[in-house]
Amino acid sequence: MSEDPKQRRREEFRSWLFLTVIMAPVLAVLIVSGYGFVVWMLQATQFL
Amino acid sequence: MRDLLRRYWRTVTRPSAFYSLGFLVVSGFVAGIIFWGGFNTAMEFTNTEGFCIGCHEMRDNVYQEIQPTIHFTNRSGVRAKCSDCHVPRDWTHKMARKMQASKEVWGWIFGTINTREKFLEKRLVLAQREWDRMKANDSLECRNCHEFQYMDFTRQSKRAAQAHSTSLASGERTCIDCHKGIAHRLPDMARQQ
């Protein structure tokens, strides 16, 4: 694979942007809401 | 597409050539703080009264009914807003409650109770769900403000003191067992099974 520094720099910047602005927040929201759902389901089984 | 993914996968799995470790760690940390702040702000926003009565189902029905009650209008000006009674305060149960609320968003989108008639029709089910929830958590939200430990029985009516010092004290009953329909009107209880 050819290594063009300019392209590598661009790819690293885009990766960084994607990870911090999109992936981490989305993942955090998914994990928290998933946790909330699990607690809800556990409560639902207790109510019955 | 596959090639693109492979290239970026390689970029994120090997050490950066252009960004220092210091920058990456600090930027991640700062982004985390900003995100958490935003997350909590958004969470708090969904706890505001303005958000709750943003839809007419809440504003025209239950919000009208709470206004003449002691929890809204009283001599000292302390009052409960929706989330004080309907959202637990500790984090885990708050998240669980917020997820349950996704069902309420569903109901809002599909207009489950978008007319007065539909609301009255569904009212017993909705109320029962909330009573079950409070029964299960031992009236947690009531107890955010009303602490049994500090109740002065001598200043309660005879009947209240009698009930509180026996059933409530022993844990045999919880607040919601007796105090139903105190902040909103009761459903048509004749239809209860």
Side-chain angles (χ1 to χ4, degrees):
Chain A
M1 201 189 281
S2 62
E3 276 278 279
D4 174 19
K6 247 185 169 163
Q7 192 191 353
R8 183 163 175 192
R9 183 181 187 120
R10 200 175 62 220
E11 287 180 2
E12 285 191 355
F13 175 72
R14 284 184 180 165
S15 301
W16 170 80
L17 202 67
F18 173 76
L19 291 180
T20 45
V21 178
I22 300 174
M23 202 195 77
V26 168
L27 219 57
V29 168
L30 284 181
I31 290 170
V32 169
S33 47
Y35 175 67
F37 262 111
V38 168
V39 174
W40 179 15
M41 292 309 145
L42 291 178
Q43 286 174 345
T45 56
Q46 275 172 10
F47 282 172
L48 298 175
Chain B
M1 186 65 195
R2 265 182 75 91
D3 192 47
L4 189 82
L5 280 179
R6 189 171 294 157
R7 243 175 45 226
Y8 274 96
W9 178 248
R10 201 169 132 66
T11 305
V12 299
T13 50
R14 70 178 165 176
S16 168
F18 292 92
Y19 295 102
S20 68
L21 194 58
F23 166 75
L24 291 174
V25 169
V26 170
S27 68
F29 188 76
V30 170
I33 292 174
I34 293 172
F35 168 76
W36 202 242
F39 186 85
N40 273 327
T41 306
M43 193 62 59
E44 278 313 304
F45 174 71
T46 63
N47 258 0
T48 58
E49 203 168 60
F51 178 80
C52 297
I53 60 172
C55 63
H56 79 275
E57 286 94 330
M58 293 296 119
R59 189 181 57 239
D60 296 347
N61 297 310
V62 287
Y63 186 60
Q64 298 306 320
E65 293 175 5
I66 192 182
Q67 292 184 30
T69 74
I70 190 88
H71 282 99
F72 190 102
T73 307
N74 55 64
R75 62 207 170 275
S76 50
V78 183
R79 76 173 188 85
K81 60 189 175 69
C82 316
S83 57
D84 288 331
C85 303
H86 295 289
V87 182
R89 289 191 187 171
D90 74 293
W91 196 83
T92 295
H93 293 101
K94 187 194 276 189
M95 290 309 130
R97 183 69 189 86
K98 291 296 176 192
M99 287 304 111
Q100 289 172 12
S102 59
K103 202 176 169 194
E104 290 149 30
V105 174
W106 175 277
W108 172 70
I109 290 172
F110 292 97
T112 314
I113 52 168
N114 61 2
T115 64
R116 180 76 187 162
E117 289 68 37
K118 283 194 203 171
F119 172 73
L120 292 176
E121 187 64 29
K122 198 98 203 274
R123 160 152 236 176
L124 182 60
V125 175
L126 299 174
Q128 190 62 53
R129 195 176 292 156
E130 200 59 6
W131 294 334
D132 288 346
R133 192 178 69 76
M134 293 187 112
K135 175 110 177 127
N137 70 14
D138 194 17
S139 308
L140 182 67
E141 285 92 343
C142 307
R143 294 175 196 269
N144 283 337
C145 296
H146 301 273
E147 287 190 57
F148 174 74
Q149 203 184 335
Y150 300 108
M151 280 182 185
D152 182 352
F153 292 146
T154 65
R155 303 197 62 181
Q156 296 184 352
S157 70
K158 220 172 156 191
R159 183 165 154 269
Q162 161 68 20
H164 290 152
S165 63
T166 54
S167 303
L168 183 66
S170 66
E172 180 193 336
R173 291 288 166 86
T174 185
C175 317
I176 197 67
D177 284 325
C178 299
H179 299 272
K180 290 185 171 83
I182 51 157
H184 308 293
R185 251 165 259 147
L186 277 175
D188 179 6
M189 298 302 280
R191 293 160 61 191
Q192 195 178 29
Q193 302 289 314

